[in-house]
């Protein structure tokens, strides 16, 4: 990413949503461009390549899923954050599996959107170099020595529990779908119930209150998200 401001392309057919995002994201220091449909979005992304795309799934001329697949098939690697209706869990999962970086359901808050955009941008920048130590609040994961600590106290995990936590740490702050995690840990034919059992066990070991987790949160109908890593010390 170059330039003084991160360039965001907002693709949404609803003028009030585009205005909300234009005003809100501009106030956060972003340079905002808009497209009301898929054709305009493809042209804009080609003529003025953005640093990040905010993409509505429901467009008048082609679906957001089609656009996402076209961009990813063409090798476009920039972050894409999906906007969707709250009830479209299947659409959200399909978009994440197709290469979206994150999602927000309408209605949404601008502070939450800004946080998701920062995570997506930071994750893309960090993909080339993985930190050896993951730290988020009291949770510490040594990804080289495979040591997990809570508030300085070492926690013993089974191999599968550690593998799940490791994958979540590699994508901290991002939602990972059930299918993505299953493929990474067990293979494509695994049952999602295995994942639920191990996540429940993980929470029993690392969460102060497993029923109200602060580290591994559930994205209902979609998957799980690990708390974003603490910023590195200045």
């Amino acid at each position: 990413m170059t330039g003084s401001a991160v360039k965001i392309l907002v693709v949404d057919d609803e003028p009030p949503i585009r205005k909300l995002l234009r005003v809100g994201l501009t106030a956060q220091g972003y340079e905002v461009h808009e497209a009301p449909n898929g054709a305009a979005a493809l042209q804009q992304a080609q003529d003025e390549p953005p640093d990040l795309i905010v993409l509505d799934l429901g467009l008048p001329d082609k679906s957001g899923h089609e656009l996402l697949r076209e961009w990813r098939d063409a090798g476009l690697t920039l972050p894409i954050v999906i906007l969707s209706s709250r009830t479209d869990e299947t659409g959200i999962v399909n978009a994440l599996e197709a290469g979206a970086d994150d999602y927000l359901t309408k209605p949404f808050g601008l502070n939450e959107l800004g946080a998701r955009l920062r995570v997506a941008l930071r994750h893309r920048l960090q993909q080339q170099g993985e930190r050896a130590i993951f730290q988020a609040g009291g949770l510490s994961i040594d990804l080289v020595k495979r040591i997990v600590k809570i508030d300085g106290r070492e926690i013993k995990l089974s191999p599968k529990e550690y593998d799940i936590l490791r994958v979540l740490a590699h994508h901290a702050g991002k939602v990972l779908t059930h299918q993505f995690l299953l493929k990474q840990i067990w293979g494509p034919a695994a049952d999602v119930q295995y994942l639920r059992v191990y996540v429940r066990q993980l929470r029993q070991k690392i969460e102060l209150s497993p029923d109200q987790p602060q580290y591994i949160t559930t994205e209902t109908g979609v998957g799980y998200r690990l708390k974003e890593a603490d910023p590195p010390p200045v």
Side-chain angles (χ1 to χ4, degrees), residues 204-218:
Q204 292 290 338
K205 293 181 178 181
I206 71 171
E207 301 283 2
L208 181 63
S209 176
D211 293 331
Q212 295 179 306
Q214 61 173 312
Y215 295 117
I216 303 175
T217 55
T218 297

Side-chain angles (χ1 to χ4, degrees), residues 65-129:
H65 292 97
E66 290 180 80
L67 272 179
L68 177 61
R69 284 192 293 270
E70 284 186 46
W71 279 324
R72 292 305 189 220
D73 289 346
L76 195 70
T77 60
L78 57 79
I80 298 177
V81 175
I82 295 296
L83 298 182
S84 178
S85 67
R86 191 170 296 278
T87 57
D88 188 19
E89 291 176 357
T90 300
I92 291 167
V93 171
N94 289 340
L96 292 167
E97 295 288 350
D101 290 76
D102 212 329
Y103 77 97
L104 276 162
T105 53
K106 299 177 181 179
F108 54 84
L110 283 172
N111 288 339
E112 183 182 10
L113 174 62
R116 297 288 172 83
L117 299 186
R118 288 191 294 274
V119 168
L121 288 163
R122 192 154 50 239
H123 185 261
R124 289 286 172 175
L125 288 173
Q126 290 174 347
Q127 281 182 323
Q128 298 299 320

Side-chain angles (χ1 to χ4, degrees), residues 5-19:
V6 172
K7 186 185 298 182
I8 294 179
L9 174 61
V10 172
V11 186
D12 197 297
D13 65 327
E14 298 181 60
I17 295 292
R18 294 203 306 274
K19 180 179 180 181

Side-chain angles (χ1 to χ4, degrees), residues 28-43:
Q28 294 184 30
Y30 296 106
E31 178 184 333
V32 181
H33 298 251
E34 303 173 39
N37 54 51
L42 289 171
Q43 193 64 50

